Amino acid sequence: MSEASVAVHADADLLAQAVAARLVVRLLDAQAERGQASMVLTGGRIAAAVYRAVAALPARDAVDWSRVDVWWGDERFLPAGDPERNETQARAALLDTLPLDPARVHPMPASDGPTGDDPEAGAAAYADELARAARPGHAALPHFDVLMLGVGEDGHVASVFPEHPVHHDTRPVSAVRGSPKPPPVRTTLTLPTINTAEEVWLVASGADKARAVGMALAGAGPVQLPAAGVQGVSRTLWLLDRAAAAEVPPRLRSLR
């Protein structure tokens, strides 16, 4: 697994623009290598800013979006179209502006979808969808070129929260009940699934994230601080603004 590297940008706006540019380049590189690309999306304020920045980039048109698979790292178990769903946010900020193949866009189940108001059934259905997209005979999961994560003030990533039973779930996708952050019911990729991604990017902005970011990079335990348990196969990249990087050891920083 990869060692973590850190890139620090002056403020949240520059961070969003930098992550957007990196994302376009990563997708182009993947398509040059494999003929297709895949990305796993996250939610939150900085993620929405990244998606808007991608939408505004002229270089986005260099990507063959019809050959991009879109997945989600976690989702709030709410009705389709609910403004609190990560899918709704991503569609409004970016996805609805792109010429994507609808069959390659894979939102997590909604509470009013075919699996009904049962998050365990929704998690199982998403695991089945992941398995169907994997190469036959090769893996239980598809290839993820880049998986983006936000970082919570408590160090959670996706909907893997500190000390939560989801840490002990070895399945690819887990239902989350009793989330300490509303809404209380969610679905999430588990840490073992997250760590199969070729590259994992942890994107954080704001002083309220500084303690969690600093503790994760200092080697905190993943059960107590889930962000500390994230590692991409070839690259683990922390993309931060200066406020979020305030407690990062100087030797780890790469200022931009």
Side-chain angles (χ1 to χ4, degrees):
M1 304 297 277
S2 59
E3 292 293 322
S5 57
V6 181
V8 182
H9 298 272
D11 56 37
D13 287 342
L14 288 175
L15 171 63
Q17 293 172 34
V19 177
R22 282 182 184 269
L23 181 59
V24 167
V25 170
R26 183 71 189 95
L27 296 176
L28 286 169
D29 287 347
Q31 289 186 338
E33 179 182 345
R34 300 191 299 114
Q36 57 187 331
S38 61
M39 60 180 180
V40 183
L41 303 183
T42 186
R45 292 190 308 274
I46 191 64
V50 169
Y51 303 150
R52 289 191 295 269
V54 173
L57 273 179
R60 75 170 199 173
D61 294 332
V63 177
D64 181 353
W65 293 101
S66 70
R67 298 186 65 80
V68 174
D69 282 289
V70 182
W71 301 90
W72 273 263
D74 75 314
E75 189 55 275
R76 291 132 183 224
F77 197 61
L78 296 167
D82 189 291
E84 293 298 310
R85 277 179 61 87
N86 293 336
E87 176 198 359
T88 306
Q89 177 192 69
R91 287 188 182 277
L94 174 62
L95 302 185
D96 287 347
T97 72
L98 300 175
L100 293 160
D101 177 353
R104 301 184 80 153
V105 179
H106 309 276
M108 286 187 166
S111 61
D112 59 350
T115 58
D117 193 17
D118 180 349
E120 284 77 17
Y126 206 63
D128 289 344
E129 188 165 358
L130 288 165
R132 287 193 298 271
R135 290 186 299 164
H138 289 269
L141 294 166
H143 184 91
F144 301 138
D145 290 300
V146 59
L147 185 151
M148 292 184 289
L149 296 168
V151 180
E153 295 90 337
D154 60 356
H156 80 267
V157 290
S159 285
V160 181
F161 292 91
E163 308 283 355
H164 194 279
V166 70
H167 283 278
H168 308 293
D169 194 338
T170 59
R171 295 172 295 180
V173 188
S174 181
V176 176
R177 295 181 182 270
S179 162
K181 182 178 179 180
V185 181
R186 298 159 175 252
T187 50
T188 188
L189 301 186
T190 56
L191 284 183
T193 302
I194 288 169
N195 289 345
T196 67
E198 194 68 27
E199 295 192 11
V200 177
W201 300 355
L202 297 105
V203 186
S205 69
D208 56 340
K209 308 296 179 69
R211 181 173 178 273
V213 170
M215 289 177 63
L217 286 166
V223 175
Q224 294 75 30
L225 201 85
V230 172
Q231 279 192 309
V233 172
S234 67
R235 193 176 198 192
T236 307
L237 183 59
W238 289 76
L239 296 159
L240 311 170
D241 67 5
R242 283 180 179 158
E247 298 187 29
V248 174
R251 62 184 174 80
L252 294 178
R253 298 189 195 187
S254 173
L255 292 170
R256 303 295 169 91

